[in-house]
Amino acid sequence: MLNRIDWTGTQPPKATEKGIWGWMFFDWAAQPFFTVVTTFIFGPYFVSRLTDDPVSAQTTWSNMATISSVIIALLSPVLGSIADQSGARKPWIGFFAIIKIASLFCLWFAAPGSPVLYPVIFMILASVSAEFSIVFNDSMMPRLVAKHEVGKLSNTAWGLGYLGGMIVLIAVVTLLAASPESGKTVLGLDPLFGLDPKTGQDARVTGPISAVWYLIFILPMFIFTPDVGRGLPFGAAIRAGLRELRNTLGELRERRGILRFLIARMIYQDGVNGLLILGGVFAAGMFGWATIEIGLYGIILNVVAIFGCLIAGRIDRGVGSKVTVVISLTMLLLATIGIISTGPGYTLFGLMPLPTTDSGGLFGTAAEKAYILYGLLIGLAFGPVQASSRSYLARSVSLEEAGRYFGLYALSGRATSFMATLLFSLATYISGSPRLGMATLVLFLAGGLVLLIRTPYPADRT
């Protein structure tokens, strides 16, 4: 268990072991939304089966992510500053949980041929609510353990989240998702609850499943994890929070290390978000993968991601968050180059020819197997790059300013994330090639990596 001694902050830790586990279970509760809805099941369904125009649907999905990112970027710093003044984080998390859960239930009605506007609206509401909740949950982290344990706590929680997402994904793939041709799941069973894959029920059900999972497993955080006491009344907290945000933006000119870190993270997180949002969609379009293939691909990535987070937790504690993030970004950069260089009959831009014969069954072509190998690098890296980024910031700010700086942290993760999805949409629309759209992610990963290398660690160090 994480050691809760040797605190180097301004006040001693207040969390019991149950409180720490309660906080980590927030990631367990939240991850299935990103795993089965955004990335591997509902997203590819939206692109490949909801309409008859996959290219247009892919652009619409990307635009949905862009709109969500703009809203998150604009409001996260404001909410973080207000939270510092109002004190308690749990009421905010509870408020946004209601919106997220209701929106996810509504995804059930996104049947093939129905208007795409409604699932787009519900996905925007769910995405925004999920990210706002993460701002408040992350700002609780520095109070739970000693600073030298923050990286291990963050990566352990992230790995726990991937485990939760993987469990839900396995359940969907083996028990719910069936082939439209045979009507059977990958285990040869009839899908539970009589779900009809021809009408997309196997993908649509992921919304309600993620909602119920989230509702159940955020309860330990509410019950056991200590919260900050109430501060100013709501109206006064808004006014004070806005003043504090203005002051924080002004003081960033003096805290250049933190500013450089936030800018670097703003750039590379665009690439990470693009991979998470568009990776499964891209594979569905290139290989024609259905729910079963996408789901199995997601399971492989999540199994690898769990081990990646466990290993990264030790690296983070041993050599620090910065080294962990740099290693992870390098792996993501190599994986992205590998993905965009792969097509039917080749990889590495044709330098390595591949057989075009299909052996039958799942992932039957050599190109699909190469795609999975590159996906393993993504699986190892995309958890640590995010978990150690938040521990990087947690080690760089004081407890009293955690809310506003984690609000800016959310801003840095979303302020220009619309650029990644927007450039993807523009490149895909102009060229007609999603491969060129995916290639734009390299610019963000490489640019953020170069800037991060020149950033001090911790970021508040002169």
Side-chain angles (χ1 to χ4, degrees):
M1 173 46 59
L2 293 161
N3 185 7
R4 293 183 288 110
I5 60 174
D6 299 329
W7 174 256
T8 57
T10 58
Q11 52 182 285
K14 300 178 181 178
T16 63
E17 185 171 313
K18 287 184 179 180
I20 292 173
W21 276 101
W23 182 85
M24 290 196 296
F25 258 83
F26 177 90
D27 281 358
W28 166 281
Q31 185 60 37
F33 165 66
F34 300 104
T35 301
V36 299
V37 176
T38 301
T39 306
F40 292 114
I41 303 297
F42 187 83
Y45 160 76
F46 183 97
V47 169
S48 61
R49 290 195 283 161
L50 185 60
T51 72
D52 296 326
D53 186 356
V55 174
S56 176
Q58 194 158 301
T59 302
T60 301
W61 185 260
S62 178
N63 291 338
M64 176 277 298
T66 300
I67 294 171
S68 302
S69 297
V70 171
I71 297 172
I72 293 163
L74 291 175
L75 293 184
S76 291
V78 176
L79 291 174
S81 294
I82 293 173
D84 276 343
Q85 304 302 316
S86 63
R89 270 63 166 169
K90 291 181 184 179
W92 292 95
I93 296 174
F95 172 74
F96 289 115
I98 294 173
I99 299 175
K100 177 181 176 180
I101 290 169
S103 299
L104 288 176
F105 269 108
C106 291
L107 294 181
W108 169 255
F109 301 103
S114 63
V116 299
L117 175 63
Y118 298 112
V120 166
I121 291 174
F122 295 134
M123 278 299 302
I124 290 173
L125 289 173
S127 300
V128 169
S129 300
E131 292 292 342
F132 286 164
S133 298
I134 290 172
V135 171
F136 297 113
N137 183 70
D138 284 354
S139 69
M140 298 168 69
M141 178 175 61
R143 297 179 179 273
L144 302 179
V145 296
K147 277 195 173 183
H148 72 279
E149 295 278 12
V150 164
K152 183 177 180 182
L153 171 66
S154 185
N155 274 280
T156 302
W158 216 282
L160 189 64
Y162 284 131
L163 179 59
M166 184 183 68
I167 289 173
V168 175
L169 184 58
I170 290 174
V172 171
V173 171
T174 58
L175 302 176
L176 302 178
S179 167
E181 291 77 23
S182 66
K184 302 293 185 180
T185 71
V186 71
L187 298 181
L189 305 174
D190 291 327
L192 294 181
F193 314 119
L195 296 176
D196 183 3
K198 293 181 180 179
T199 60
Q201 290 182 346
D202 55 342
R204 290 152 49 195
V205 77
T206 58
I209 288 174
S210 299
V212 173
W213 184 277
Y214 186 65
L215 175 62
I216 293 173
F217 290 112
I218 59 172
L219 294 179
M221 183 272 296
F222 279 101
I223 296 171
F224 299 115
T225 304
D227 199 359
V228 183
R230 290 192 176 274
L232 297 175
F234 185 69
I238 292 177
R239 293 189 294 272
L242 292 175
R243 286 196 304 270
E244 197 64 35
L245 175 60
R246 184 173 61 250
N247 294 336
T248 302
L249 293 173
E251 74 183 28
L252 279 176
R253 283 177 273 179
E254 304 297 327
R255 307 180 75 172
R256 295 183 180 275
I258 293 180
L259 177 60
R260 183 184 292 272
F261 167 72
L262 291 174
I263 293 175
R265 197 243 174 186
M266 177 176 67
I267 297 172
Y268 69 68
Q269 190 64 38
D270 287 357
V272 175
N273 289 340
L275 282 175
L276 295 179
I277 294 170
L278 302 170
V281 170
F282 178 73
M286 181 164 64
F287 298 118
W289 286 354
T291 299
I292 291 178
E293 288 89 349
I294 290 290
L296 289 175
Y297 176 68
I299 291 170
I300 293 170
L301 261 63
N302 275 271
V303 170
V304 174
I306 295 168
F307 288 102
C309 286
L310 294 176
I311 295 169
R314 294 180 178 274
I315 296 174
D316 193 304
R317 187 180 184 189
V319 296
S321 301
K322 179 177 179 178
V323 173
T324 309
V325 176
V326 168
I327 294 173
S328 300
L329 283 175
T330 303
M331 294 170 65
L332 289 174
L333 186 60
L334 294 174
T336 305
I337 293 173
I339 284 174
I340 63 176
S341 71
T342 300
Y346 65 89
T347 187
L348 300 179
F349 302 105
L351 297 176
M352 183 180 293
L354 298 172
T356 57
T357 55
D358 190 334
S359 61
L362 298 172
F363 314 124
T365 67
E368 290 174 276
K369 293 180 176 64
Y371 192 99
I372 291 175
L373 287 176
Y374 296 128
L376 295 180
L377 280 179
I378 297 176
L380 284 172
F382 68 52
V385 75
Q386 297 174 91
S388 288
S389 290
R390 69 178 177 182
S391 62
Y392 197 135
L393 180 64
R395 287 183 168 123
S396 305
V397 298
S398 68
L399 296 178
E400 291 73 19
E401 59 191 9
R404 51 194 169 107
Y405 273 100
F406 270 103
L408 291 175
Y409 178 80
L411 167 64
S412 73
R414 293 291 184 171
T416 59
S417 62
F418 68 91
M419 289 298 297
T421 51
L422 179 60
L423 284 179
F424 174 89
S425 298
L426 290 175
T428 301
Y429 176 77
I430 293 172
S431 67
S433 171
R435 189 188 310 279
L436 291 180
M438 288 292 289
T440 61
L441 302 182
V442 173
L443 302 175
F444 295 97
L445 294 171
L449 174 60
V450 170
L451 187 57
L452 184 72
I453 290 174
R454 301 178 57 203
T455 302
Y457 176 74
D460 59 345
R461 181 170 59 85
T462 303

